[in-house]
Amino acid sequence: MKRFAKRRVVPGVVALPLLLFAADAGLAQAHPNPATPDSLRQIQMMEPRMGPPGTEVSLYTENIPLQARVVVGLGAIGTGFEELGTGDQGEFGEIGATVRIPESASWDRAVVFIIFNGNFAPTGLSDPFHVTDAQGRVQRSGVIRERQDGCTTFEDRDGYFYSVTGAMGGAGPGDDVLIEGALSRSVSCPHADTIEIQRLERIDPN
């Protein structure tokens, strides 16, 4: 089993526990490099996919190119990331990690887990993890899109799509809105997670 090299904590950055092939805890470190989804391998397993701060999330993947050093980070699309720790891949190329979503994580934007090589070039990206409040709600700003297969779709500012249900307050396709509501996996609209709207506000897109 490979053990993580522990790292110092940058002032103002929350330390997150990380397990990679071991029970050691790595420490968070901030980096300004933006996380982008272009040309990256998809992290194969992430469970669960939503939850409040404090939720423990397990990651596992076997499709990342072999590299001498592995860095696992957490961030939102187009922002900097927090380095959670470093280690080596297993002998068959496997990478496994368990992290706890920090108390500082906000409910108004999805985050992604990122795998980097030793030069901080991104090589793997997870599906979005939806940080909720204690009641399972999220807040998102974005645009209402056309109905698809009987489901009203909503695109947030990071380009993630959701199905939305509930009172729309007269808002329709093309309107920029801020919504709050309970998030769940959809059965009737399986192509996207569903937000049951509890509050909707039209906003200026600029």
Side-chain angles (χ1 to χ4, degrees):
M1 303 291 278
K2 305 294 184 181
R3 293 189 175 273
F4 251 127
K6 292 190 177 182
R7 305 186 65 85
R8 66 185 180 89
V9 179
V10 176
V13 178
V14 177
L16 307 181
L18 176 67
L19 306 177
L20 186 59
F21 318 127
D24 275 2
L27 300 179
Q29 185 173 5
H31 290 270
N33 300 19
T36 57
D38 300 333
S39 303
L40 300 184
R41 305 284 181 92
Q42 189 75 17
I43 294 175
Q44 295 167 314
M45 189 277 287
M46 178 182 69
E47 187 63 34
R49 298 173 51 248
M50 61 185 73
T55 299
E56 195 170 85
V57 183
S58 296
L59 306 171
Y60 185 82
T61 196
E62 298 176 343
N63 62 346
I64 304 301
L66 288 172
Q67 46 206 37
R69 181 170 176 258
V70 174
V71 180
V72 179
L74 176 72
I77 294 297
T79 71
F81 67 96
E82 291 184 8
E83 179 187 334
L84 306 180
T86 64
D88 302 316
Q89 289 177 278
E91 60 181 316
F92 301 109
E94 70 273 16
I95 297 172
T98 299
V99 298
R100 192 178 301 276
I101 300 298
E103 293 301 322
S104 60
S106 175
W107 70 328
D108 65 354
R109 202 169 183 188
V111 294
V112 290
F113 297 97
I114 315 145
I115 294 175
F116 299 84
N117 64 23
N119 295 319
F120 290 102
T123 57
L125 189 72
S126 75
D127 287 332
F129 180 89
H130 304 293
V131 182
T132 71
D133 68 2
Q135 287 73 48
R137 300 178 303 166
V138 296
Q139 181 186 90
R140 294 288 187 270
S141 58
V143 182
I144 298 173
R145 300 301 186 190
E146 298 291 340
R147 288 176 63 84
Q148 297 180 6
D149 301 324
C151 302
T152 300
T153 59
F154 170 82
E155 182 182 4
D156 76 4
R157 60 177 174 165
D158 291 321
Y160 296 127
F161 283 86
Y162 303 82
S163 295
V164 291
T165 62
M168 301 290 291
D175 288 340
D176 289 89
V177 296
L178 181 146
I179 60 176
E180 295 176 3
L183 182 70
S184 64
R185 292 191 178 186
S186 177
V187 175
S188 58
C189 301
H191 60 280
D193 295 314
T194 294
I195 301 175
E196 182 179 350
I197 297 173
Q198 299 173 357
R199 173 176 171 261
L200 183 148
E201 175 186 343
R202 296 193 187 190
I203 59 175
D204 185 343
N206 301 317

